[in-house]
Amino acid sequence: MLQSAPFHIQETNQGKSTVKLLPELHANLIETAIQAAQAAGDLPEFEIPEIPIGPTKRDGQGDYACPVAMALSKVAKKKPRDIAEAIVKHLPEAAFVADVEIAGPGFINFTLSQDWLRQQIEQIIADGEGYFSLDLGTGRKAQVEFVSANPSGPITIGRSRGGIIGDTMARLLEAAGFDVQREYYFNNAGMQMVMLGKSLKARYLQALGQDVSLPEGGYQGEYLIDFAKEMAEKEGDKLVDADWKPFKEFAEAKMFEWIRATLAQIGIVHDNFFNEDSLFQDGSIWNVLEELETRGYTYKASEWEGATDEEKAKAANLDPAIWFRTTKFGDEKDRVMVKSDGVPTYTLPDIAYHKNKIERGFDIMVNVLGADHGQQYKVVQMGIEALGMDPSGIHVIINQMVRAVRENPETGELEEIKMSTRRGVYDTLDELVEMTSADAIRYHMLARSPGSHLNFNVEEVVKQSNDNPVYYIQNAHVRCCGIEREAEARGLSDEGADINLLDDEELAFIRKALEMGEVIEASAKLYEPHKIAFYAQELAGTFHPIYDNVRAIGEGIPEDVTRARLRFYHAARIIFKRVLDLMGMSAPERM
RNA sequence: GCCCCCGUAGCUCAGUGGAUAGAGCGCUGGCCUCCGGAGCCAGAAGCACAGGUUCGAGUCCUGUCGGGGGUACCA
């Protein structure tokens, strides 16, 4: 579903069409102009750098600005303004450019053609929601792995951040043209799951009336009591002598359904759940270990080779473990791959998992991790390199921790709500969804760069008033729908509209709308999905004043003007639907 | 101690090395004969600190201070 404008379709020599965005189109003009200026002797010979260009921020500076003349000042041995003049002199004509100006120290400012902008309205309506699709990733497979929480308890607010970032990243990569798979790495192996099984067994015995306590470090959540009751009803006392395994199986299956249901509430649906367990069962972890041994990256010892005296003392009573020589890749210390009891740590299956991903043929693999796992991905990368594979397709988005906060009614200060599995505390995503809405959660989690330490103010998100940007954005869509409803009720339509009757204000919105392609491109290339959230708010901020000033229907408005404006609001509705879709938010028709 | 991340308005946060650092909330003052006011207009208020690189630094480098995370048999 590839679409054309806002980007001109350019025919290449091979006759294949390539979608291009406005910054690149402008940059091409400038590059051509520099070459022509050099050929004409107006500029000296030098290697042409990457042309910087971007949308301008304030009136009077055109729509797109390029500061390349300043950067060239040194190599060209000329004043920036003189360079800019030489470039402008040789600038080729382009349908989308109405005016070019040199301003300030040597900026080249481009103003878009109003006619060209008008045409984009028709293009948007013709292409519908596919209008902002790019072909950046056409023919390429991408995978986004996110959430990947241990199935040992309910999804927490903190976990949902990575989930929303990951799902939005997937949506943006799809918009950029990639064939995207969403994957959940289901950590159903390891000590945590053994503990879960043991905890459930204790709850099961309790359900049968036995006086047993939870194992040390066991899971205390009430959900295990519910699971245990269900098990006791189903199995009776058949399992009193069983070990932890059937309990782990049962808990895991329950958790799997629970996690899926929780995530589905906020619009997150994974295409694939990859079981960590399968890497043990099919032997791939042992193959990886063997390969690392063969390549000389492991050794067996009870302490790592550079251990301090303190570390040696700690290891004194341990049997030997198998170490991965990560110091060969610049790590500060080697890492344990197989513990002294013969059980692998998370490192080994993690490496085997990423090897598996690469072998599945993804061109890019995005991995969304919390900061508490922030170092681990480096070890995985070292593992992939040690196996002689290329880790360059793996990209990690690390999101900093979420602190749930609320205002102290007495002091007015924000204070942290301590995460706890007890009820009554805002800790699980289920509870948060109940109190707010999927849209509000998604927007607030998304509207922060992953690197920022997020203070999640529950009351602020709960507030359903005009101080909430979620509704500000959705309301733009609602208003477009309202106009269309009114038009229909009055028997009016936008068919055959003369878009030349539209004014600068409406076109300013279209200009802003065209930036969506640039935002999608930047998000996809830089792996920064939060950009779309800020863009959406800016877009709504451009829309609402126009809605206030530019009435489509009413006394004294000529019918042809009404028709043209209805056409405009029709396009605006498509645009808001699209941006809300990209964020995984609903686009309501009424509020 | 060492490694990673962060420090921008009263609060929550944006800001590909480019022009006069933006938005929301809160605060102050205006706007309802309206296609839904969950809206519009205006105002006050800020780059932790010190050096350095650059024609140009909130952005890059070094250091200091402050906060979060990690730091060999948890994931």
Side-chain angles (χ1 to χ4, degrees), chain A residues 74 107 192 311 339 346 448-449 466:
Chain A
K74 202 168 249 176
F107 288 96
Q192 299 297 331
E311 286 169 338
K339 298 183 286 178
Y346 51 85
R448 260 111 205 166
S449 77
N466 65 350

PDB file of all heavy atoms in Angstrom, chain A residues 74 107 192 311 339 346 448-449 466, chain B residues 12 14 18 39 55 72-75:
ATOM      1  N   LYS A  74      34.267  27.727   5.014  1.00  0.00           N
ATOM      2  CA  LYS A  74      35.696  27.429   5.130  1.00  0.00           C
ATOM      3  C   LYS A  74      36.262  26.795   3.857  1.00  0.00           C
ATOM      4  O   LYS A  74      37.233  27.286   3.292  1.00  0.00           O
ATOM      5  CB  LYS A  74      35.941  26.515   6.330  1.00  0.00           C
ATOM      6  CG  LYS A  74      37.374  26.583   6.835  1.00  0.00           C
ATOM      7  CD  LYS A  74      37.519  25.895   8.181  1.00  0.00           C
ATOM      8  CE  LYS A  74      37.787  26.889   9.289  1.00  0.00           C
ATOM      9  NZ  LYS A  74      37.837  26.257  10.614  1.00  0.00           N
ATOM     10  N   PHE A 107      21.291  31.793   5.614  1.00  0.00           N
ATOM     11  CA  PHE A 107      20.291  30.749   5.438  1.00  0.00           C
ATOM     12  C   PHE A 107      19.650  30.880   4.064  1.00  0.00           C
ATOM     13  O   PHE A 107      19.415  31.990   3.591  1.00  0.00           O
ATOM     14  CB  PHE A 107      19.191  30.869   6.497  1.00  0.00           C
ATOM     15  CG  PHE A 107      19.629  30.463   7.867  1.00  0.00           C
ATOM     16  CD1 PHE A 107      20.069  31.406   8.782  1.00  0.00           C
ATOM     17  CD2 PHE A 107      19.605  29.127   8.241  1.00  0.00           C
ATOM     18  CE1 PHE A 107      20.484  31.032  10.042  1.00  0.00           C
ATOM     19  CE2 PHE A 107      20.011  28.748   9.509  1.00  0.00           C
ATOM     20  CZ  PHE A 107      20.460  29.696  10.411  1.00  0.00           C
ATOM     21  N   GLN A 192      13.474 -18.128  38.258  1.00  0.00           N
ATOM     22  CA  GLN A 192      12.261 -17.395  38.626  1.00  0.00           C
ATOM     23  C   GLN A 192      11.021 -18.266  38.432  1.00  0.00           C
ATOM     24  O   GLN A 192      10.079 -18.216  39.218  1.00  0.00           O
ATOM     25  CB  GLN A 192      12.126 -16.123  37.789  1.00  0.00           C
ATOM     26  CG  GLN A 192      13.260 -15.134  37.958  1.00  0.00           C
ATOM     27  CD  GLN A 192      13.365 -14.598  39.364  1.00  0.00           C
ATOM     28  OE1 GLN A 192      12.368 -14.505  40.074  1.00  0.00           O
ATOM     29  NE2 GLN A 192      14.576 -14.295  39.792  1.00  0.00           N
ATOM     30  N   GLU A 311      36.237 -10.813  45.502  1.00  0.00           N
ATOM     31  CA  GLU A 311      35.492 -11.743  44.657  1.00  0.00           C
ATOM     32  C   GLU A 311      35.971 -13.175  44.873  1.00  0.00           C
ATOM     33  O   GLU A 311      35.178 -14.113  44.882  1.00  0.00           O
ATOM     34  CB  GLU A 311      35.641 -11.340  43.180  1.00  0.00           C
ATOM     35  CG  GLU A 311      34.825 -10.102  42.834  1.00  0.00           C
ATOM     36  CD  GLU A 311      35.154  -9.523  41.472  1.00  0.00           C
ATOM     37  OE1 GLU A 311      36.251  -9.779  40.945  1.00  0.00           O
ATOM     38  OE2 GLU A 311      34.307  -8.799  40.936  1.00  0.00           O
ATOM     39  N   LYS A 339      26.180 -21.684  35.596  1.00  0.00           N
ATOM     40  CA  LYS A 339      26.481 -21.608  37.026  1.00  0.00           C
ATOM     41  C   LYS A 339      27.144 -22.887  37.507  1.00  0.00           C
ATOM     42  O   LYS A 339      27.142 -23.900  36.811  1.00  0.00           O
ATOM     43  CB  LYS A 339      25.186 -21.359  37.813  1.00  0.00           C
ATOM     44  CG  LYS A 339      24.514 -20.044  37.448  1.00  0.00           C
ATOM     45  CD  LYS A 339      23.277 -19.789  38.281  1.00  0.00           C
ATOM     46  CE  LYS A 339      22.129 -20.687  37.849  1.00  0.00           C
ATOM     47  NZ  LYS A 339      20.935 -20.482  38.679  1.00  0.00           N
ATOM     48  N   TYR A 346      20.903 -16.277  32.512  1.00  0.00           N
ATOM     49  CA  TYR A 346      20.113 -15.709  31.414  1.00  0.00           C
ATOM     50  C   TYR A 346      20.952 -15.400  30.185  1.00  0.00           C
ATOM     51  O   TYR A 346      20.459 -15.343  29.070  1.00  0.00           O
ATOM     52  CB  TYR A 346      19.398 -14.439  31.893  1.00  0.00           C
ATOM     53  CG  TYR A 346      20.315 -13.446  32.573  1.00  0.00           C
ATOM     54  CD1 TYR A 346      21.041 -12.520  31.835  1.00  0.00           C
ATOM     55  CD2 TYR A 346      20.468 -13.446  33.957  1.00  0.00           C
ATOM     56  CE1 TYR A 346      21.900 -11.636  32.457  1.00  0.00           C
ATOM     57  CE2 TYR A 346      21.321 -12.568  34.587  1.00  0.00           C
ATOM     58  CZ  TYR A 346      22.045 -11.662  33.843  1.00  0.00           C
ATOM     59  OH  TYR A 346      22.882 -10.789  34.451  1.00  0.00           O
ATOM     60  N   ARG A 448       7.210  10.868  25.934  1.00  0.00           N
ATOM     61  CA  ARG A 448       8.463  11.115  26.633  1.00  0.00           C
ATOM     62  C   ARG A 448       9.524  10.374  25.859  1.00  0.00           C
ATOM     63  O   ARG A 448       9.254   9.286  25.359  1.00  0.00           O
ATOM     64  CB  ARG A 448       8.428  10.494  28.035  1.00  0.00           C
ATOM     65  CG  ARG A 448       8.127  11.462  29.116  1.00  0.00           C
ATOM     66  CD  ARG A 448       6.771  11.188  29.709  1.00  0.00           C
ATOM     67  NE  ARG A 448       6.205  12.386  30.300  1.00  0.00           N
ATOM     68  CZ  ARG A 448       4.953  12.506  30.654  1.00  0.00           C
ATOM     69  NH1 ARG A 448       4.123  11.525  30.452  1.00  0.00           N
ATOM     70  NH2 ARG A 448       4.514  13.608  31.179  1.00  0.00           N
ATOM     71  N   SER A 449      10.709  10.926  25.775  1.00  0.00           N
ATOM     72  CA  SER A 449      11.743  10.168  25.090  1.00  0.00           C
ATOM     73  C   SER A 449      12.102   8.984  25.998  1.00  0.00           C
ATOM     74  O   SER A 449      12.053   9.098  27.215  1.00  0.00           O
ATOM     75  CB  SER A 449      12.955  11.038  24.799  1.00  0.00           C
ATOM     76  OG  SER A 449      13.714  11.216  25.958  1.00  0.00           O
ATOM     77  N   ASN A 466      -9.891  19.422  30.090  1.00  0.00           N
ATOM     78  CA  ASN A 466      -9.181  20.045  28.986  1.00  0.00           C
ATOM     79  C   ASN A 466      -7.688  20.205  29.240  1.00  0.00           C
ATOM     80  O   ASN A 466      -6.968  20.715  28.411  1.00  0.00           O
ATOM     81  CB  ASN A 466      -9.806  21.396  28.635  1.00  0.00           C
ATOM     82  CG  ASN A 466      -9.652  22.391  29.773  1.00  0.00           C
ATOM     83  OD1 ASN A 466      -9.251  22.028  30.872  1.00  0.00           O
ATOM     84  ND2 ASN A 466      -9.978  23.635  29.501  1.00  0.00           N
TER      85      ASN A 466
ATOM     86  P     U B  12       8.740  17.567  37.945  1.00  0.00           P
ATOM     87  OP1   U B  12       9.103  16.352  38.697  1.00  0.00           O
ATOM     88  OP2   U B  12       9.796  18.486  37.436  1.00  0.00           O
ATOM     89  O5'   U B  12       7.825  17.156  36.715  1.00  0.00           O
ATOM     90  C5'   U B  12       6.765  16.226  36.897  1.00  0.00           C
ATOM     91  C4'   U B  12       6.138  15.901  35.563  1.00  0.00           C
ATOM     92  O4'   U B  12       5.480  17.086  35.042  1.00  0.00           O
ATOM     93  C3'   U B  12       7.131  15.541  34.466  1.00  0.00           C
ATOM     94  O3'   U B  12       7.560  14.187  34.575  1.00  0.00           O
ATOM     95  C2'   U B  12       6.324  15.826  33.215  1.00  0.00           C
ATOM     96  O2'   U B  12       5.389  14.806  32.956  1.00  0.00           O
ATOM     97  C1'   U B  12       5.571  17.091  33.617  1.00  0.00           C
ATOM     98  N1    U B  12       6.285  18.320  33.203  1.00  0.00           N
ATOM     99  C2    U B  12       6.050  18.775  31.915  1.00  0.00           C
ATOM    100  O2    U B  12       5.297  18.211  31.139  1.00  0.00           O
ATOM    101  N3    U B  12       6.725  19.917  31.568  1.00  0.00           N
ATOM    102  C4    U B  12       7.605  20.637  32.364  1.00  0.00           C
ATOM    103  O4    U B  12       8.141  21.642  31.913  1.00  0.00           O
ATOM    104  C5    U B  12       7.789  20.097  33.685  1.00  0.00           C
ATOM    105  C6    U B  12       7.145  18.990  34.040  1.00  0.00           C
ATOM    106  P     A B  14      11.411  14.012  27.352  1.00  0.00           P
ATOM    107  OP1   A B  14      11.550  12.610  26.971  1.00  0.00           O
ATOM    108  OP2   A B  14      12.577  14.745  27.857  1.00  0.00           O
ATOM    109  O5'   A B  14      10.785  14.779  26.108  1.00  0.00           O
ATOM    110  C5'   A B  14      11.543  15.745  25.447  1.00  0.00           C
ATOM    111  C4'   A B  14      10.755  16.253  24.278  1.00  0.00           C
ATOM    112  O4'   A B  14      10.013  17.425  24.715  1.00  0.00           O
ATOM    113  C3'   A B  14      11.645  16.753  23.147  1.00  0.00           C
ATOM    114  O3'   A B  14      11.967  15.724  22.260  1.00  0.00           O
ATOM    115  C2'   A B  14      10.772  17.833  22.513  1.00  0.00           C
ATOM    116  O2'   A B  14       9.758  17.271  21.698  1.00  0.00           O
ATOM    117  C1'   A B  14      10.134  18.452  23.755  1.00  0.00           C
ATOM    118  N9    A B  14      10.952  19.527  24.334  1.00  0.00           N
ATOM    119  C8    A B  14      11.528  19.553  25.579  1.00  0.00           C
ATOM    120  N7    A B  14      12.194  20.657  25.834  1.00  0.00           N
ATOM    121  C5    A B  14      12.035  21.407  24.675  1.00  0.00           C
ATOM    122  C6    A B  14      12.492  22.689  24.313  1.00  0.00           C
ATOM    123  N6    A B  14      13.224  23.460  25.096  1.00  0.00           N
ATOM    124  N1    A B  14      12.161  23.144  23.089  1.00  0.00           N
ATOM    125  C2    A B  14      11.420  22.365  22.289  1.00  0.00           C
ATOM    126  N3    A B  14      10.933  21.149  22.513  1.00  0.00           N
ATOM    127  C4    A B  14      11.282  20.730  23.746  1.00  0.00           C
ATOM    128  P     G B  18      21.276  22.185  14.868  1.00  0.00           P
ATOM    129  OP1   G B  18      20.567  21.233  15.708  1.00  0.00           O
ATOM    130  OP2   G B  18      20.952  22.307  13.437  1.00  0.00           O
ATOM    131  O5'   G B  18      21.120  23.616  15.516  1.00  0.00           O
ATOM    132  C5'   G B  18      20.134  24.481  15.028  1.00  0.00           C
ATOM    133  C4'   G B  18      20.713  25.870  14.840  1.00  0.00           C
ATOM    134  O4'   G B  18      22.045  25.799  14.281  1.00  0.00           O
ATOM    135  C3'   G B  18      19.877  26.713  13.890  1.00  0.00           C
ATOM    136  O3'   G B  18      19.868  28.030  14.389  1.00  0.00           O
ATOM    137  C2'   G B  18      20.688  26.632  12.583  1.00  0.00           C
ATOM    138  O2'   G B  18      20.507  27.787  11.801  1.00  0.00           O
ATOM    139  C1'   G B  18      22.103  26.594  13.113  1.00  0.00           C
ATOM    140  N9    G B  18      23.100  26.008  12.231  1.00  0.00           N
ATOM    141  C8    G B  18      23.103  24.745  11.694  1.00  0.00           C
ATOM    142  N7    G B  18      24.181  24.485  10.997  1.00  0.00           N
ATOM    143  C5    G B  18      24.918  25.651  11.073  1.00  0.00           C
ATOM    144  C6    G B  18      26.179  25.978  10.526  1.00  0.00           C
ATOM    145  O6    G B  18      26.917  25.274   9.859  1.00  0.00           O
ATOM    146  N1    G B  18      26.566  27.273  10.840  1.00  0.00           N
ATOM    147  C2    G B  18      25.823  28.139  11.587  1.00  0.00           C
ATOM    148  N2    G B  18      26.356  29.334  11.796  1.00  0.00           N
ATOM    149  N3    G B  18      24.651  27.858  12.121  1.00  0.00           N
ATOM    150  C4    G B  18      24.262  26.604  11.825  1.00  0.00           C
ATOM    151  P     G B  39      -9.421  21.973  25.668  1.00  0.00           P
ATOM    152  OP1   G B  39      -8.064  21.533  25.304  1.00  0.00           O
ATOM    153  OP2   G B  39      -9.634  22.744  26.907  1.00  0.00           O
ATOM    154  O5'   G B  39     -10.030  22.807  24.465  1.00  0.00           O
ATOM    155  C5'   G B  39      -9.813  22.401  23.119  1.00  0.00           C
ATOM    156  C4'   G B  39     -10.346  23.452  22.193  1.00  0.00           C
ATOM    157  O4'   G B  39     -11.679  23.856  22.619  1.00  0.00           O
ATOM    158  C3'   G B  39      -9.564  24.764  22.187  1.00  0.00           C
ATOM    159  O3'   G B  39      -8.433  24.697  21.350  1.00  0.00           O
ATOM    160  C2'   G B  39     -10.610  25.728  21.647  1.00  0.00           C
ATOM    161  O2'   G B  39     -10.821  25.559  20.268  1.00  0.00           O
ATOM    162  C1'   G B  39     -11.855  25.240  22.390  1.00  0.00           C
ATOM    163  N9    G B  39     -11.986  25.914  23.687  1.00  0.00           N
ATOM    164  C8    G B  39     -11.891  25.343  24.929  1.00  0.00           C
ATOM    165  N7    G B  39     -12.031  26.209  25.898  1.00  0.00           N
ATOM    166  C5    G B  39     -12.231  27.424  25.259  1.00  0.00           C
ATOM    167  C6    G B  39     -12.443  28.720  25.782  1.00  0.00           C
ATOM    168  O6    G B  39     -12.499  29.070  26.965  1.00  0.00           O
ATOM    169  N1    G B  39     -12.590  29.665  24.783  1.00  0.00           N
ATOM    170  C2    G B  39     -12.547  29.400  23.438  1.00  0.00           C
ATOM    171  N2    G B  39     -12.709  30.437  22.626  1.00  0.00           N
ATOM    172  N3    G B  39     -12.348  28.189  22.935  1.00  0.00           N
ATOM    173  C4    G B  39     -12.207  27.258  23.894  1.00  0.00           C
ATOM    174  P     C B  55      36.036  27.581  13.193  1.00  0.00           P
ATOM    175  OP1   C B  55      36.449  27.441  11.783  1.00  0.00           O
ATOM    176  OP2   C B  55      37.018  27.919  14.250  1.00  0.00           O
ATOM    177  O5'   C B  55      34.853  28.652  13.281  1.00  0.00           O
ATOM    178  C5'   C B  55      35.161  30.044  13.226  1.00  0.00           C
ATOM    179  C4'   C B  55      33.886  30.843  13.138  1.00  0.00           C
ATOM    180  O4'   C B  55      33.259  30.593  11.850  1.00  0.00           O
ATOM    181  C3'   C B  55      32.806  30.445  14.134  1.00  0.00           C
ATOM    182  O3'   C B  55      33.003  31.085  15.386  1.00  0.00           O
ATOM    183  C2'   C B  55      31.532  30.917  13.443  1.00  0.00           C
ATOM    184  O2'   C B  55      31.352  32.305  13.561  1.00  0.00           O
ATOM    185  C1'   C B  55      31.853  30.580  11.978  1.00  0.00           C
ATOM    186  N1    C B  55      31.359  29.238  11.584  1.00  0.00           N
ATOM    187  C2    C B  55      29.982  29.046  11.388  1.00  0.00           C
ATOM    188  O2    C B  55      29.223  29.998  11.576  1.00  0.00           O
ATOM    189  N3    C B  55      29.535  27.841  11.023  1.00  0.00           N
ATOM    190  C4    C B  55      30.391  26.834  10.835  1.00  0.00           C
ATOM    191  N4    C B  55      29.901  25.668  10.464  1.00  0.00           N
ATOM    192  C5    C B  55      31.790  26.990  11.030  1.00  0.00           C
ATOM    193  C6    C B  55      32.233  28.203  11.392  1.00  0.00           C
ATOM    194  P     A B  72      28.024  -8.504  40.434  1.00  0.00           P
ATOM    195  OP1   A B  72      26.603  -8.481  40.817  1.00  0.00           O
ATOM    196  OP2   A B  72      29.043  -8.235  41.445  1.00  0.00           O
ATOM    197  O5'   A B  72      28.339  -9.903  39.781  1.00  0.00           O
ATOM    198  C5'   A B  72      27.848 -10.200  38.475  1.00  0.00           C
ATOM    199  C4'   A B  72      28.220 -11.609  38.171  1.00  0.00           C
ATOM    200  O4'   A B  72      29.641 -11.668  37.911  1.00  0.00           O
ATOM    201  C3'   A B  72      28.024 -12.566  39.340  1.00  0.00           C
ATOM    202  O3'   A B  72      26.693 -13.032  39.406  1.00  0.00           O
ATOM    203  C2'   A B  72      29.022 -13.668  39.022  1.00  0.00           C
ATOM    204  O2'   A B  72      28.551 -14.493  37.991  1.00  0.00           O
ATOM    205  C1'   A B  72      30.183 -12.823  38.509  1.00  0.00           C
ATOM    206  N9    A B  72      31.065 -12.380  39.595  1.00  0.00           N
ATOM    207  C8    A B  72      30.993 -11.212  40.314  1.00  0.00           C
ATOM    208  N7    A B  72      31.926 -11.084  41.226  1.00  0.00           N
ATOM    209  C5    A B  72      32.665 -12.253  41.094  1.00  0.00           C
ATOM    210  C6    A B  72      33.785 -12.721  41.772  1.00  0.00           C
ATOM    211  N6    A B  72      34.392 -12.057  42.752  1.00  0.00           N
ATOM    212  N1    A B  72      34.274 -13.930  41.411  1.00  0.00           N
ATOM    213  C2    A B  72      33.664 -14.596  40.430  1.00  0.00           C
ATOM    214  N3    A B  72      32.593 -14.256  39.707  1.00  0.00           N
ATOM    215  C4    A B  72      32.146 -13.058  40.097  1.00  0.00           C
ATOM    216  P     C B  73      25.939 -12.978  40.746  1.00  0.00           P
ATOM    217  OP1   C B  73      25.445 -11.640  40.992  1.00  0.00           O
ATOM    218  OP2   C B  73      26.819 -13.621  41.790  1.00  0.00           O
ATOM    219  O5'   C B  73      24.677 -13.867  40.418  1.00  0.00           O
ATOM    220  C5'   C B  73      24.417 -15.091  40.833  1.00  0.00           C
ATOM    221  C4'   C B  73      24.842 -16.206  39.906  1.00  0.00           C
ATOM    222  O4'   C B  73      26.275 -16.297  39.845  1.00  0.00           O
ATOM    223  C3'   C B  73      24.436 -17.541  40.500  1.00  0.00           C
ATOM    224  O3'   C B  73      23.157 -17.899  40.007  1.00  0.00           O
ATOM    225  C2'   C B  73      25.460 -18.518  39.966  1.00  0.00           C
ATOM    226  O2'   C B  73      24.954 -19.186  38.824  1.00  0.00           O
ATOM    227  C1'   C B  73      26.622 -17.623  39.523  1.00  0.00           C
ATOM    228  N1    C B  73      27.917 -18.035  40.130  1.00  0.00           N
ATOM    229  C2    C B  73      28.395 -19.319  39.877  1.00  0.00           C
ATOM    230  O2    C B  73      27.720 -20.076  39.181  1.00  0.00           O
ATOM    231  N3    C B  73      29.581 -19.706  40.411  1.00  0.00           N
ATOM    232  C4    C B  73      30.278 -18.842  41.136  1.00  0.00           C
ATOM    233  N4    C B  73      31.428 -19.269  41.637  1.00  0.00           N
ATOM    234  C5    C B  73      29.824 -17.514  41.408  1.00  0.00           C
ATOM    235  C6    C B  73      28.641 -17.158  40.886  1.00  0.00           C
ATOM    236  P     C B  74      21.895 -17.327  40.838  1.00  0.00           P
ATOM    237  OP1   C B  74      22.253 -17.150  42.251  1.00  0.00           O
ATOM    238  OP2   C B  74      20.822 -18.278  40.448  1.00  0.00           O
ATOM    239  O5'   C B  74      21.558 -15.903  40.217  1.00  0.00           O
ATOM    240  C5'   C B  74      20.965 -15.778  38.947  1.00  0.00           C
ATOM    241  C4'   C B  74      19.536 -15.272  39.080  1.00  0.00           C
ATOM    242  O4'   C B  74      19.552 -14.046  39.847  1.00  0.00           O
ATOM    243  C3'   C B  74      18.863 -14.883  37.789  1.00  0.00           C
ATOM    244  O3'   C B  74      18.317 -16.006  37.147  1.00  0.00           O
ATOM    245  C2'   C B  74      17.798 -13.910  38.256  1.00  0.00           C
ATOM    246  O2'   C B  74      16.676 -14.615  38.733  1.00  0.00           O
ATOM    247  C1'   C B  74      18.493 -13.209  39.423  1.00  0.00           C
ATOM    248  N1    C B  74      19.047 -11.891  39.055  1.00  0.00           N
ATOM    249  C2    C B  74      18.159 -10.818  38.907  1.00  0.00           C
ATOM    250  O2    C B  74      16.950 -11.022  39.068  1.00  0.00           O
ATOM    251  N3    C B  74      18.655  -9.596  38.583  1.00  0.00           N
ATOM    252  C4    C B  74      19.957  -9.440  38.414  1.00  0.00           C
ATOM    253  N4    C B  74      20.392  -8.228  38.102  1.00  0.00           N
ATOM    254  C5    C B  74      20.874 -10.518  38.562  1.00  0.00           C
ATOM    255  C6    C B  74      20.380 -11.717  38.873  1.00  0.00           C
ATOM    256  P     A B  75      18.557 -16.155  35.572  1.00  0.00           P
ATOM    257  OP1   A B  75      18.042 -17.481  35.190  1.00  0.00           O
ATOM    258  OP2   A B  75      19.944 -15.779  35.230  1.00  0.00           O
ATOM    259  O5'   A B  75      17.598 -15.048  34.950  1.00  0.00           O
ATOM    260  C5'   A B  75      16.195 -15.254  34.911  1.00  0.00           C
ATOM    261  C4'   A B  75      15.541 -13.991  34.413  1.00  0.00           C
ATOM    262  O4'   A B  75      15.917 -12.903  35.289  1.00  0.00           O
ATOM    263  C3'   A B  75      16.002 -13.526  33.044  1.00  0.00           C
ATOM    264  O3'   A B  75      15.271 -14.156  32.017  1.00  0.00           O
ATOM    265  C2'   A B  75      15.781 -12.028  33.085  1.00  0.00           C
ATOM    266  O2'   A B  75      14.423 -11.720  32.846  1.00  0.00           O
ATOM    267  C1'   A B  75      16.117 -11.720  34.537  1.00  0.00           C
ATOM    268  N9    A B  75      17.503 -11.269  34.702  1.00  0.00           N
ATOM    269  C8    A B  75      18.605 -12.035  34.967  1.00  0.00           C
ATOM    270  N7    A B  75      19.716 -11.340  35.091  1.00  0.00           N
ATOM    271  C5    A B  75      19.309 -10.037  34.879  1.00  0.00           C
ATOM    272  C6    A B  75      20.013  -8.821  34.874  1.00  0.00           C
ATOM    273  N6    A B  75      21.332  -8.721  35.093  1.00  0.00           N
ATOM    274  N1    A B  75      19.322  -7.687  34.633  1.00  0.00           N
ATOM    275  C2    A B  75      18.006  -7.780  34.412  1.00  0.00           C
ATOM    276  N3    A B  75      17.232  -8.872  34.395  1.00  0.00           N
ATOM    277  C4    A B  75      17.951  -9.978  34.643  1.00  0.00           C
TER     278        A B  75
END
